[in-house]
């Protein structure tokens, strides 16, 4: 499968694409896209990177798995295509942004506007079979996305990492806290948002950090 990814990211990750685990992952994906319904569509697989070029990246939000319903996933964690019902976790994200920053929630769940401002919306696993949550886990994606986090930590400065939930929180071990901001809280899922996602003020904290570093703030 051809890897269509933004030039800066390609240069950073070139060696990763040659490693045996990624070659095996690529072969697996070839068969999956050929024989199954897989989300997101192949041409949107690397949207997180293509809409947020490496040299613009200043915030990372980490999700776990793409949405597995029809026309939901388009390569950005927590985001859905225009015209699709806003998922519960994203509704809670919007509620916290309103509480934290006073920004009125948009009618769309499409977060491309964040990506264009330098927010890397990265799922730990980038693909999934239709209606089969977690079906592409442990095929190699997690190794790849862990490497992305480590490369960012080692080769860039002053990135805000927003890690929501226990799974994302463990990724803090990959990040140099002396060079970057790490913000952790419970997940925005309705099952856990009330345990500390609401009131975490991650969005205003992120902007205060960016402002302090002389970087443009995010219009959430």
């Amino acid at each position: 499968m051809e890897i269509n990814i933004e030039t800066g990211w390609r240069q950073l990750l070139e060696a990763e694409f040659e490693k045996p685990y990624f070659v095996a992952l690529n072969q697996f994906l070839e068969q999956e896209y050929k024989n199954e319904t897989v989300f997101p569509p192949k041409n949107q697989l690397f949207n997180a990177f293509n809409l947020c070029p490496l040299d613009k990246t200043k915030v990372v939000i980490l999700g776990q798995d793409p949405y597995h319903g029809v026309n939901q996933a388009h390569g950005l964690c927590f985001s859905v295509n225009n015209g699709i019902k806003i998922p519960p976790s994203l509704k809670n994200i919007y509620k916290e942004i309103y509480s934290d920053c006073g920004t009125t929630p948009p009618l769309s769940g499409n977060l491309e506007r964040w990506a264009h401002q330098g927010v890397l919306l990265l799922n730990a696993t980038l693909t999934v079979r239709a209606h089969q949550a977690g079906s592409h886990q442990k095929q190699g994606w997690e190794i790849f996305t862990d490497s992305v986090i480590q490369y960012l930590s080692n080769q860039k400065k002053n990135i805000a990492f927003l890690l929501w939930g226990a799974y994302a929180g463990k990724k803090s071990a990959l990040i140099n806290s002396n060079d970057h901001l790490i913000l952790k809280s419970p997940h925005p899922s309705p099952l856990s948002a009330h345990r500390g996602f609401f009131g975490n003020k991650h969005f205003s904290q992120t902007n205060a950090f960016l402002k302090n570093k002389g970087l443009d703030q995010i219009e959430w």
Side-chain angles (χ1 to χ4, degrees), residues 43-55:
N43 65 348
Q44 298 177 351
L45 205 166
F46 291 105
N47 258 4
F49 303 93
N50 292 331
L51 297 177
C52 179
L54 176 62
D55 64 353

Side-chain angles (χ1 to χ4, degrees), residues 108-119:
S108 172
N110 188 325
L111 301 179
E112 288 182 12
R113 65 189 184 281
W114 292 2
H116 290 309
Q117 295 178 76
V119 181

Side-chain angles (χ1 to χ4, degrees), residues 2 103 183 186 189 209:
E2 188 178 352
T103 304
L183 297 175
S189 158
F209 172 78

Side-chain angles (χ1 to χ4, degrees), residues 89-108:
S89 289
L90 183 55
K91 277 187 179 176
N92 286 339
I93 290 169
Y94 282 173
K95 283 181 185 176
E96 176 57 22
I97 290 171
Y98 179 69
S99 170
D100 186 15
C101 305
T103 304
T104 303
L107 298 176
S108 172

Side-chain angles (χ1 to χ4, degrees), residues 58 191 220:
K58 54 192 176 186
L191 298 174
W220 299 109

